[in-house]
C-alpha cells in the first residue's frame, strides 16, 4: 500500500482491514459542542488486536474510544459514547478548551 491521501483515509483502511479478514470497528464523531480537536465526521478505525488508524479526538478520549471499540468488536453491539470536560481538566483528556463530543462506535464485519 502506498501512502497516497486516499490510502490514509480511515474508511479506506477499514475496508482494507475488513477485506483481509480482520475484525474491525469504526468510530465516528457525530456531534461536538464547544472546543473539540476533531470535527464531526472524523473517523477512527480499530481492529480486534488494538491496531488503529485515524483520530476522533486525541489524548485520553481516543484511548477510551479504542477500549470501547474492542468491546463493540467482541459483542457486535454498537455504542454511542459521550465525553465532556470542564475547562480546567480539558487539556488532560485531549479537549483543548473544554467541550463535549459524541462518538458512535460500530462493528463493520
Amino acid at each position: 500500500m502506498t501512502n497516497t491521501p486516499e490510502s490514509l483515509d480511515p474508511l479506506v483502511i477499514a475496508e482494507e482491514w475488513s477485506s483481509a479478514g480482520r475484525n474491525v470497528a469504526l468510530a465516528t464523531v457525530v456531534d461536538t459542542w464547544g472546543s473539540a480537536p476533531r470535527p464531526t465526521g472524523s473517523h477512527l478505525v480499530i481492529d480486534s488486536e488494538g491496531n488503529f488508524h485515524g483520530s476522533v479526538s486525541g489524548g485520553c478520549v481516543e484511548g477510551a474510544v479504542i477500549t470501547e471499540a474492542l468491546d463493540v468488536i467482541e459483542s457486535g453491539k454498537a455504542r454511542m459514547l459521550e465525553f465532556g470536560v470542564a475547562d480546567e481538566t480539558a487539556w488532560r483528556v485531549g479537549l483543548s478548551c473544554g467541550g463535549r463530543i459524541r462518538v458512535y462506535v460500530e462493528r463493520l464485519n
Side-chain angles (χ1 to χ4, degrees):
M1 181 172 85
T2 60
N3 285 332
T4 63
E6 182 179 274
S7 70
L8 298 177
D9 182 333
L11 297 177
V12 172
I13 299 296
E15 184 177 353
E16 290 174 359
W17 288 1
S18 184
S19 294
R22 294 159 80 169
N23 293 320
V24 176
L26 181 68
T28 305
V29 176
V30 295
D31 284 311
T32 64
W33 299 268
S35 177
R38 300 281 183 257
T40 300
S42 295
H43 298 289
L44 175 67
V45 59
I46 306 96
D47 75 3
S48 59
E49 300 298 316
N51 297 300
F52 60 93
H53 181 82
S55 181
V56 292
S57 179
C60 295
V61 169
E62 202 123 284
V65 171
I66 292 167
T67 298
E68 292 287 337
L70 294 173
D71 289 341
V72 167
I73 289 170
E74 187 172 320
S75 72
K77 295 180 183 177
R79 296 184 186 168
M80 182 69 71
L81 310 174
E82 186 170 330
F83 301 92
V85 293
D87 288 338
E88 59 272 5
T89 58
W91 284 102
R92 201 171 33 188
V93 296
L95 296 174
S96 54
C97 293
R100 294 185 308 161
I101 62 170
R102 288 178 59 196
V103 179
Y104 184 71
V105 183
E106 60 189 319
R107 183 175 171 156
L108 297 183
N109 54 356

